[in-house]
Amino acid sequence: SSGGSTLENFAVSWELEGNVGGVSLKNGILTLSPDATEGIVTVRASLYAGKVVSDEIQIEIYRPEVSDVWIEQGINLKIPATGSLARTLSAGIVDQNGNVLSGMGNLSFRLAEETKGVSLSGNVLTVNSTAQTGKTKIVAELPGTSLTAEAGLELKRYTYGADGELGVYVENGT
């Protein structure tokens, strides 16, 4: 709950409350068995330091179900004068409680439309110097489901001075 200092040389007693099967608590470590049931448990830690000091936390036990896909928004990339530029996209899968599940599972990525000089390999977006200014969309999708997320991609070309310093944005690539 509130911050504070670590107390040493005090015995902490642990208590687990709640009628959730397959859940155990030993020495402050909460363990779930594969057949744990869903529900809410309360974990309480107490110690005696001249008076009884305790704190508790409620923990919801549930089996996550995939409910949505997300992808970072507002992707703006500078078209390189030469060569290519790569960027790793952030995306993920969300469960029914809005929690992001670890990893990206087997999300796949694609451009909404073919875009010259732009390619995707997994979640790595590459833009090369042949790309044109403009806007398109990137789609993240979870195969085998209807779950998708879209992000706008804006490509801009800048002029460069003789000393290599970034100049001004050129609207139409001219």
Side-chain angles (χ1 to χ4, degrees):
S1 290
S2 62
S5 303
T6 302
L7 296 174
E8 296 182 20
N9 301 321
F10 288 94
V12 176
S13 64
W14 294 94
E15 223 179 311
L16 177 65
E17 293 179 359
N19 191 16
V20 177
V23 178
S24 62
L25 180 69
K26 183 176 180 180
N27 297 324
I29 299 173
L30 187 69
T31 304
L32 303 175
S33 67
D35 62 343
T37 57
E38 294 184 343
I40 295 176
V41 296
T42 301
V43 175
R44 181 176 298 106
S46 302
L47 62 87
Y48 182 79
K51 64 178 185 174
V52 174
V53 179
S54 67
D55 202 359
E56 65 183 44
I57 185 170
Q58 286 193 328
I59 301 171
E60 181 180 5
I61 312 288
Y62 69 95
R63 297 195 183 282
E65 297 174 14
V66 173
S67 69
D68 205 359
V69 172
W70 66 270
I71 186 170
E72 68 180 289
Q73 296 295 308
I75 304 165
N76 294 298
L77 288 178
K78 182 169 62 166
I79 300 169
T82 60
S84 62
L85 173 70
R87 172 154 181 232
T88 302
L89 301 172
S90 295
I93 300 169
V94 179
D95 73 11
Q96 71 271 29
N97 290 334
N99 298 311
V100 176
L101 301 176
S102 63
M104 290 193 303
N106 54 352
L107 281 179
S108 63
F109 299 84
R110 64 180 171 80
L111 293 167
E113 55 194 36
E114 189 174 327
T115 305
K116 181 181 175 183
V118 180
S119 62
L120 272 167
S121 178
N123 66 327
V124 177
L125 174 68
T126 303
V127 178
N128 68 43
S129 60
T130 64
Q132 301 297 311
T133 59
K135 295 180 181 182
T136 189
K137 291 185 179 182
I138 298 169
V139 179
E141 52 196 356
L142 186 60
T145 73
S146 61
L147 299 175
T148 63
E150 289 187 350
L153 168 63
E154 185 169 3
L155 300 167
K156 294 181 179 181
R157 184 175 302 278
Y158 292 83
T159 60
Y160 292 84
D163 58 1
E165 289 294 314
L166 185 62
V168 293
Y169 168 62
V170 180
E171 183 66 35
N172 296 319
T174 57

